[in-house]
Amino acid sequence: QTGCIDEDDLRLRSRENAQNAMAGRLWLRADDTHLAVDQRPTLQDRQLLFDNVAMTLNVIEAAVHHRVSRVVFASSNWAVKRTEHELAPACYLPDGPKIGSDAPPRPITAYGVAKTLGEISGRMAVDRSQLDAFVAVRIGSFLAFPPE
């Protein structure tokens, strides 16, 4: 069972709170799942970027401090939304082109930029040998029909 930081827990904007959250979950496993995000539609772009980037960096920093070897980051298809728009509607068909995990970020919203910065921040922590692994999963939507 992996420890989860609740996505509504905005207290992760504080480094101290992120440290405490990470410390309290280490007994579960030597890894942690980061779902901390604030995607309220009423949030201004600047605040959305600040909150999401701060929370992600705080979780990465806390993981490094507590010697957590792996962080799983819930990214989003919004990190590659421009590519999706260019491939649509064919990309929604079973045999249509797909956006691979190696697709470069191409966000079109502040939320997508925040997710992109999260992915890059995790990569930086691995490149600096602060984390053994940082897994960014670009979560998409699973609708019965393609978006219009």
Side-chain angles (χ1 to χ4, degrees):
Q1 184 177 25
T2 302
C4 273
I5 298 169
D6 187 70
E7 66 185 19
D8 295 323
D9 189 357
L10 299 181
R11 293 174 294 167
L12 292 172
R13 288 180 284 196
S14 155
R15 282 185 178 164
E16 182 179 355
N17 289 341
Q19 293 282 346
N20 291 336
M22 189 70 67
R25 285 159 173 80
L26 282 179
W27 64 272
L28 292 173
R29 259 173 71 166
D31 60 14
D32 196 51
T33 302
H34 169 42
L35 296 175
V37 67
D38 186 356
Q39 57 179 339
R40 293 173 288 171
T42 58
L43 204 61
Q44 297 295 319
D45 283 354
R46 181 177 293 268
Q47 189 65 47
L48 185 143
L49 278 167
F50 176 79
D51 287 351
N52 286 290
V53 172
M55 286 187 276
T56 301
L57 292 175
N58 288 341
V59 168
I60 291 171
E61 183 179 284
V64 170
H65 177 79
H66 291 284
R67 294 185 176 93
V68 173
S69 64
R70 177 179 57 199
V71 173
V72 177
F73 175 69
S75 189
S76 171
N77 61 332
W78 285 95
V80 290
K81 191 56 82 169
R82 173 58 56 210
T83 301
E84 180 184 336
H85 284 184
E86 289 175 358
L87 295 175
C91 64
Y92 305 124
L93 301 174
D95 59 344
K98 302 298 175 231
I99 302 170
S101 61
D102 59 342
R106 294 188 65 205
I108 60 171
T109 64
Y111 177 71
V113 170
K115 289 302 189 174
T116 297
L117 290 172
E119 292 179 12
I120 293 168
S121 298
R123 179 67 214 195
M124 180 179 69
V126 171
D127 287 346
R128 288 180 171 176
S129 299
Q130 295 172 317
L131 293 173
D132 291 337
F134 183 89
V135 179
V137 180
R138 290 179 178 158
I139 301 169
S141 61
F142 298 91
L143 303 173
F145 301 99
E148 293 185 30

